[in-house]
Amino acid sequence: MNVFEKVQETRPEIDGADENISAARARLLTEIHAEKRPARSRAARRPWIITVGLVGAAAAVTAGVLVVGNLTAPMTGGGIEAIPTVAPKPSAEPSPEPTVEPLTVQSVLSGAANTTASYPAPVAGPGQYLMIDHQSQQLVLYAPGDLNPSRAEATAGWTVTSSYTTYIPANRSDEWVEVFRPDRQIVDLFGEEAGVQSQAWLEQFSGMTDPIIRRYEGGLPNVTDVPFGSDAHYAQLPRDPAALIDWIRDYSGATAGPDSDAMVVGFLIQELQLNAAPADLRPAMYQALSMMPNGVVLGTVGNVVTLSFPTYAANERWDSISIDTSTALVTSSSFTLGSGGTIVPDGVPNHLVSQTVTVVDDAP
């Protein structure tokens, strides 16, 4: 039913007027322009006001203005007041899209330093162990007559996976255990010779069928008399980032130049990848790493961001670390040597280790 049919149903009877709405409009015009006729009382005109009001309201629904036939002359003698038009309210302003700041090495590492307070690394209870499971991937390069070719000189290459596990006791002065598993597998081949040469390379490990278990007292072997990872080792490390950098330079024997920066980066990545440093030291390690020059954001997968640092310019070495920004735990680390090869892509690291940390009750 359209709006005019609604008006016809709702208007009152007018002295026997025709039911057609056009006739009603004509009579309305006659009443308005009959100036010589005496005006009817307000009460007598009220039904028309109601009718016109209904027509105007119906028209206002579709046009927003009052239109009655072709009525253009001003009304006299108590004319009909126009029905006010309700202007539509302006639509709400769209909310601006949130601005996402691009990731930088400094923002990632500073964020990780802050996150360590909310997400501390796993801690072993009395009699328990931190079990750090390492999944390793190594790039092997081949060239005829060359046992250690560069990436640019290689005529073939392949990647091989292996795994090992480190058990760190809750009391770090107790026995540490490392288990190396004989589970090497060739996963990627580069170059026409890779298939044959990789199998020949793998043959040298054919006699290794049992895990190799190594045991150490109070920590892992170190270049100093203080075992790596021990409480005594961590007690030496400053908690101030700048002082920590100076300590590492002195510890490594390279106190200036790019090699000293390389030593700092390598030391910090080695420490952070274990996810086993004391809670009050890990923030300083992340902050110290953020102070190292020329780092880049290599890539992002979900919450994991990979950062890379140039270390030894002479052999084009880059050291990388992947951090889960939601927990500040390191998921993997790697290093890449050289570039410019035509066989092995530059993006394939020479060595990559990913790890997970859990708490267990026993060690082998």
Side-chain angles (χ1 to χ4, degrees):
M1 180 183 295
N2 61 35
V3 292
F4 295 107
E5 290 173 335
K6 290 182 180 181
V7 170
Q8 285 179 308
E9 289 186 357
T10 56
R11 70 180 179 86
E13 293 293 333
I14 308 170
D15 300 329
D18 193 290
E19 292 297 325
N20 190 290
I21 191 168
S22 60
R25 288 177 177 172
R27 293 191 56 152
L28 173 62
L29 291 175
T30 301
E31 291 290 334
I32 293 172
H33 292 290
E35 295 180 355
K36 294 183 180 181
R37 293 177 60 184
R40 289 188 295 175
S41 67
R42 189 174 186 86
R45 294 200 311 271
R46 189 169 298 138
W48 284 104
I49 295 174
I50 296 173
T51 302
V52 174
L54 289 169
V55 174
V61 171
T62 57
V65 295
L66 177 63
V67 178
V68 182
N70 294 321
L71 187 59
T72 57
M75 293 189 178
T76 59
I80 303 170
E81 297 179 359
I83 297 176
T85 302
V86 179
K89 295 182 179 180
S91 58
E93 290 293 328
S95 301
E97 292 293 329
T99 311
V100 179
E101 293 293 333
L103 290 176
T104 65
V105 171
Q106 287 70 30
S107 67
V108 171
L109 292 172
S110 295
N114 293 332
T115 302
T116 57
S118 302
Y119 292 91
V123 177
Q128 293 182 319
Y129 293 82
L130 285 180
M131 184 182 75
I132 305 175
D133 188 61
H134 311 264
Q135 299 295 321
S136 175
Q137 178 177 296
Q138 177 187 358
L139 171 65
V140 181
L141 298 172
Y142 169 82
D146 192 343
L147 297 178
N148 189 30
S150 68
R151 194 177 294 248
E153 297 166 336
T155 60
W158 53 90
T159 56
V160 57
T161 61
S162 59
S163 64
Y164 64 100
T165 304
T166 304
Y167 294 85
I168 303 177
N171 182 348
R172 299 203 178 193
S173 61
D174 290 342
E175 183 180 72
W176 292 45
V177 181
E178 284 189 318
V179 179
F180 297 86
R181 291 180 285 276
D183 54 357
R184 290 177 179 82
Q185 293 184 354
I186 305 296
V187 291
D188 293 311
L189 300 174
F190 307 99
E192 295 181 359
E193 303 170 275
V196 173
Q197 297 300 332
S198 63
Q199 291 303 314
W201 178 87
L202 202 57
E203 281 296 318
Q204 65 182 308
F205 304 102
S206 60
M208 300 176 60
T209 58
D210 298 323
I212 298 175
I213 300 177
R214 295 176 180 171
R215 303 179 186 276
Y216 313 97
E217 288 298 323
L220 299 176
N222 201 354
V223 295
T224 68
D225 294 334
V226 180
F228 180 80
S230 65
D231 290 335
H233 167 72
Y234 287 127
Q236 302 175 93
L237 275 61
R239 271 51 176 173
D240 175 75
L244 177 58
I245 291 172
D246 290 339
W247 185 92
I248 297 171
R249 284 175 173 158
D250 183 64
Y251 174 83
S252 64
T255 57
D259 283 355
S260 69
D261 289 341
M263 291 289 187
V264 172
V265 170
F267 181 94
L268 290 171
I269 289 178
Q270 180 184 22
E271 286 282 5
L272 286 167
Q273 74 173 354
L274 282 176
N275 297 304
D280 64 336
L281 179 58
R282 292 175 65 228
M285 289 180 169
Y286 279 123
Q287 290 164 351
L289 190 58
S290 74
M291 298 165 68
M292 292 295 97
N294 304 318
V296 297
V297 177
L298 202 60
T300 302
V301 178
N303 292 326
V304 178
V305 181
T306 300
L307 310 177
S308 192
F309 296 83
T311 47
Y312 296 98
N315 55 8
E316 295 183 276
R317 173 166 170 155
W318 286 76
D319 284 71
S320 303
I321 183 171
S322 298
I323 304 166
D324 186 335
T325 56
S326 65
T327 61
L329 294 177
V330 174
T331 62
S332 67
S333 63
S334 67
F335 71 83
T336 305
L337 294 173
S339 64
T342 59
I343 301 297
V344 181
D346 291 347
V348 178
N350 288 68
H351 193 257
L352 181 148
V353 179
S354 59
Q355 59 274 325
T356 56
V357 183
T358 54
V359 176
V360 296
D361 294 330
D362 300 297

